[in-house]
Amino acid sequence: MNATERKRKYLILILIMFIVSSCNKDFLEQDPQTSLSTDQLFSSLDNVQPFLNGLYFKWRSTRVNRKGFYLMLGMDESQQGEYQVRTEAEQAALDKYDGFLDPNNKPIAELWNIRWPVVVQASEALVRLNAKFKNANTKDSAEIINYIGQAAFYRGAVLFELATYWGGLPIPEVTEQNIVLSGRKSLPDTYAIIEKDLLLAVSCLPQKQGSDPRIPTTWAAKALLGKLYMSAPEESGFRDFDKARVQFEDIILHGGFSLVSNFADLWNPYKTAGKEAIYTFFFNNIWPDTNEAQWYTGSRACSGNPTNYLGGYDLILPTEFCRTDASVGGLWEDGDLRKMESIRYDFMNGDMVPSVYAGFGEDQLLPHIKKYEDIRLNGKESFYNSGKNMYYLRYADILLCYAECLNETGNTSGAVIIINDQVRKRAWGGSLPEDKKWSTGMSQEEFRNKILDERMRELCFEGWRRFDLIRTNKFVQRIATYNKWAKESGTISEKHKLLPIPYVEIKQNPELTPADQNPGYN
Amino acid sequence: MKPIISLILLLFLHNLLLSQNVTVNGKVLDSTTNQPIPGVNITIKGVYGIGTITDEEGKFSIEVPESSVLVFSFIGYNSKEVVPRIGEFMQITLTEELKELDEVIIVGASVKRSDLTGSVSNVTTEQLKNIPSGNLNQAIQGKISGVYIENNPAPGSKASIKIRGSNSIQFGTNPIYVIDGLVIDGGFEMLNPEDISNIEILKDASATAIYGSRGANGVVVITTKRGKKNKKIITVDNWMGYQSFSNEMPLLTGPETFDLRVDAYANAYMDKNPLADRDRYIKNSLTNTNPIKNLIFSKEELESYANGSTYNWLDQITRTGFQQNNAISFSGGNDDGTYYASFGYNYQKGQIQKTNYKRYTGKINIEQNLKEWLKFGSNNSYINTSEKPVPNDNMFITALRACPLLPVSKDYWYMKEGKIDNQSSSNPLRDLTIDRDIFSNRLLSSNYLNISPIEGLDIRSTYSVDVQQVENYSYYPTTSTQSYKSTYNGQSVQVKSKTFNYQWDNSVSFRKIFDGKHALNILLGSNLSFYSYNYNQQNASGYNNDLFSYKYVQGATDKDRFYLGSDFWTYSLMSYLLRINYSFNSRYYLTLTGRADGSSKFGPSNKWGLFPSIAGSWNITNEKFMKQQKIFSNLRLRIGYGIAGNQNIPNYGYLTRYNPSISLESNILTNSGRYGNPSLRWEKQKQINGGMDIGILNGMVEMSLDVFKINNEDLLMERSTAPSSGYLTQIDNVGALENKGFEFSLSITPFHRNNIEWNIGFNIAAAKNTITKLYGDVTEIYNLGGYTNNEIQREGNLFLGKPLNTIYVYQFDHIAQESDMDYINSLEKGSRIIKPGDILPKDRDNNGIINDQDRYVFGKKDPDFYGGINTELKIFNFGISLQANYSKGAHRISYLYETLMSSIGTSAAHRDLLNRWTPENTNTNIPRAYSDGGRFNIWDVDWAVQDASFLRISYLTLSYVLPGRFLKSLQMNQFRVYFTGNNLFTMTKYKGYDPETGDWYPSSKMYILGFNIVF
């Protein structure tokens, strides 16, 4: 073997080594550089509050844009604009309660789809936080308890929405490793889970509002618990006005909340809701914290100039009942200051003159919803950027709920006093005229009838109406009477109190069959 | 076909029957150097035992039967067939065979073309020379059976290319491109076409097995030019062409549009007020010349109508396009090595104002023998492009749709439709004020070292990089509708990205022939590929003036609405490969390939996949029993089976991931809704392929037929999950897709005299796919979108048992007539209105409800078959060539036609609307004019789906080659001048702009003048 040959053999060896060495195992490990896996996220407590704020963000996004208004369509206080009804059959079904309100209805699927991530991701947090709690030191334990409270609150609140709209729920089993899908749980089981979450939230959350107003307090959890006891369907076994009354009483006596004196201040984006806000979805005019509410509640006739803050596309408008005076069979009594703060009647806005767009509906200049108007944008920015805060729980609502509980538990006169001295008094600017006072001598049944209108006057378009109508069993009767489209179609029935379980869920969840559908939707 | 066949037969007989001997004298020269070639073999086609060779001076003399064909062949040169001309001294030129033509560089190794068993087609420079185009995809369209190319008419844009139809549901149907051994995913069209020596298309699993991990959608192998030993060559290629739109939509004139609008509004009014007086309403409210009293016409429109004017907005934003291509190359070499260097410039001035594209390319390929046993080579391309894309993608359609009564003006923010501003369409004249620029730099470099320590053994290591930087800038000035609508006061968008990929291949190959009969070739290789990408973006607004476009971000004031974004990602692949080629006596061939591929895109336990393949072929012509026959010059059967893989999914699909973002002034961590799937694995494509190659009479007729069946399994897609799982989607291996088809190509040289030559090429291919499984018991997956983001779209839905790319619509029954009204009133149709003159869809399930359940799969977007036809005729120094492409059976949605047909006279309308339904014209399929919504629109039903079959003359080239005697005095070796018409004629029923390229930007025709010089 000569030198050249040896050199060549040597080279062969090197190259064979190349081939072998190039195949090193780590080479195929290319992990994300700009995101955390679930394991990485929960490896540090520092990541948990941003994660929980992410849940808040996702829950809040159920109030954003078109989908934020779907559940307000088809009510006795609000209905779809004419152009929308005419052009979108499935969305129109939310008002018409016709054949298009079925498991294939895609707006309904969207409402279902956007809520589950909050439920499941809160469950994932609870599983991991509970495990952490077991090995935590004292300092960390306090922090973890607070986090558990938040996660339980979000899960309880969203499950409460889901259960109210759909009934018994397929709540999955969540472990650290995986998510096991479930069949529909019975109503009692579903409500037991919600009650447990809210009780956990009550015990874990702080009494005082911290620096970050997103973090709920124990009072917010109590308010929800009270609402749960008064709203849970009878069949669930959780309906108990006395238990509800106790929760509300606690909030009234010890929560430190009060009504702001001027109702208009609640809707003024330059002012705060002071002690009236119990829990709020915060927004502003900068994406991704805008809610686009004006886009859907405003008038197309005002949309020509994008900076006209009255502009929008007529998705949702007040019903005729909700926009007219009691003198003509409508809602509003003389002197009630809430009317002009809730509803927009006049569309003149300086030199931005409304002009009706032919073919886009005859209701462009009928009264519109005013509670979401964001005057900060006027003349400056597109109404698409509207982003006024939305109340989830405010003290006036709690007072009205409390009064309702008093009435249901036999104390009608006590209930009337709350209404007169607090809610209606403020509505008339601080002094309620005698003829507008409710009589403490009214019957329980009379109170029941009147309270629904009062709740509409106080809380219209704030998202609780569906709960109220279902709870009081007035769903079909009031909607068929006051909602223009439901009335025209004449097809609303008791089955519509629950929405159909979306087809996608039944098809893709192996634990569900078409037989699990809510009654009347098969 | 019949005349062609008889012609062929005639020629056969002609050749075989006549046999009176004559003497032929001549001389053989090298085509580029004009030097005589001694030792050239001269034989008579189809006759054995007669032949001669050229002498020292390249001269020859041979006695042959009259009308026989002489075959000139010499090692290193392409052989040539010539029909002798009696009594004339013949001058034959042979062109040197490019050595690399027999070699294909695959990843990490060089193999002989003959070793590529399986289905392989190629295109050579010779075939590309009649197709002057700045874009390679366009140049190879219609040339190769089974390769479906859809061009994109905008300057500098990409074509889509599919090999053997669709073989993946969602992630990747594009082939990979391999340039001198470097694998790139896209951007192939950026190469300078003049640098290409050869393009190889690998279609079946055996052929693509070498690329296993990513070969599932086919492989396009590009070999660029090399220098030649002892031959210094300079080539200059230049062409330029003018471009104009190839099609114009037939639109209603201004006055006709006026009538349409009146009709539409009167119809809507009468529906609501059935007892009203139609004529009176029209007179008072619709045609009233007082603009205040007139409900539907603006003051300007009433004036236009009074003057009989028709405005054309499109003319205001378009112009004549122009393209030019200049390339120069230098090449040469000696015994130690070769070089090739080139420079290219391509410029395209788009037909929409402001658009253009510029590309500079530079290339250096060198190869050097360092030692007797050691060689290195380096292939490098540098590409610089700058592009001004269409300022607003919709502007063309918007300008086209502009109402012809609307005077052209920059004044409006939104386009006006009657008295209404259409807030979703910006004024195209304002769009022209938008600035957009895309700049890119790309370097492709592939470098190898080859060691041959002993005869037959090659050890090769190749390191390649692909680096690309892209800058994408936009500026929406205060004068733009976009800025006005979003109250930006001027917005700049800057996006800069960088891609860096490297690839390291090592291989050992061994080649030996035993006993003179058994040829064995073994290849062992490994590969590492690494891909990285990052970008950053900044959007700034609030400039309040338009002084410096996107170039000076410091001038932006609206800090609240600045947007910043960036991301970084990497992925990697690793493979081992073993390939054995064995052949016996040049008759039986066998190829076995086994490879293991790992991808970082899958979770820890599923990174690796195994991809074996086997292929065999039988060269029947080399059998003894074939020696006597004279008809078949080539007869080969091929069969192969193999598995290829696909991992072309988004990165990190195996993890559930959370990203930070800002909400309410603090960090939040959210997930996009995708649940990690740790059990993700490779998508597998199992393909069986059978083929046959036939050559008749020394290549006078050549045919190739392939049939294939592909079972795609474990298809990767992002699927929706049960919403109650808390995550909406997951990337998963779902379902299966079967794909069957055939490819056939035919080339005939029916006529071949010394100075006259005629070639005809024809190819056809078909591929039919069927979804055979979706996950679980799911039978359909809908593509949701639209207004509510929740409507079932017409395209993109998946149905079990149906093809992949379907169109899902209602069935058009007929236009409702008065007599149908009882039936119509009995139907539940949601909020839809159907009155006489409106579309009545068929209640397919006959349940009295018209809803989504009545929609059905009408047609597919993929063609039944497609292909190309080309022919070239050379007469002395003149040449004429023609390339045609065709496609049959594909359907397409023409948004343009639908829009124009849905016009209510507030925007431009198609002339077909003149035949619309009216109470007097009831025998028609065109619905009545109607200004309100609520009807079934034409796009809801199959009526509007277009048959996109077409036959297109894509290139017609006339050329002239300067004869040798002039060349000498000009010191040139070759001079060719040509004139080409591109896209001259299209035969189609399609109602939109173009059945192939679609509607958003019309295709164009181009007239090109070019020349080509070799020194």
Side-chain angles (χ1 to χ4, degrees), chain A residues 153-171:
Chain A
F153 178 80
Y154 294 139
R155 187 170 74 172
V158 175
L159 282 175
F160 183 34
E161 291 180 357
L162 284 164
T164 306
Y165 304 140
W166 279 277
L169 299 171
I171 305 169

Side-chain angles (χ1 to χ4, degrees), chain B residues 488-598:
Chain B
Y488 280 131
N489 278 317
Q491 188 202 29
S492 62
V493 178
Q494 300 195 355
V495 186
K496 300 186 185 184
S497 67
K498 186 180 132 189
T499 308
F500 173 78
N501 304 334
Y502 73 76
Q503 189 184 315
W504 189 21
D505 298 284
N506 294 299
S507 70
V508 180
S509 64
F510 181 69
R511 188 186 286 267
K512 194 166 169 96
I513 298 172
F514 302 93
D515 293 347
K517 282 181 178 173
H518 308 274
L520 186 67
N521 186 1
I522 300 177
L523 172 72
L524 177 70
S526 75
N527 161 275
L528 289 184
S529 301
F530 174 83
Y531 298 83
S532 68
Y533 173 84
N534 69 68
Y535 84 94
N536 58 63
Q537 174 171 6
Q538 54 174 33
N539 301 5
S541 52
Y543 284 89
N544 300 315
N545 58 55
D546 301 318
L547 294 173
F548 305 115
S549 185
Y550 55 77
K551 293 174 184 166
Y552 199 72
V553 182
Q554 293 93 316
T557 59
D558 193 356
K559 299 262 189 290
D560 277 350
R561 289 163 80 188
F562 284 11
Y563 168 81
L564 298 174
S566 73
D567 203 2
F568 286 72
W569 55 251
T570 54
Y571 79 90
S572 56
L573 288 163
M574 187 190 282
S575 331
Y576 299 95
L577 162 76
L578 176 67
R579 184 170 174 104
I580 299 169
N581 283 311
Y582 168 76
S583 67
F584 175 71
N585 218 1
S586 299
R587 280 183 281 163
Y588 307 103
Y589 296 80
L590 181 69
T591 304
L592 294 170
T593 312
R595 56 182 300 142
D597 287 285

Side-chain angles (χ1 to χ4, degrees), chain A residues 199 202 219 222-223 225-227 229-230 240-255 398 401-406 409:
Chain A
L199 286 170
V202 166
W219 306 111
K222 281 192 174 172
L225 200 55
K227 279 186 174 266
Y229 291 136
M230 67 188 281
D240 188 333
F241 284 100
D242 209 44
K243 269 183 159 174
R245 183 185 56 77
V246 171
Q247 297 298 330
F248 296 134
E249 216 158 67
D250 191 19
I251 297 168
I252 291 166
L253 293 175
H254 306 112
I398 298 309
C401 286
Y402 179 56
E404 209 174 319
C405 291
L406 288 177
T409 53

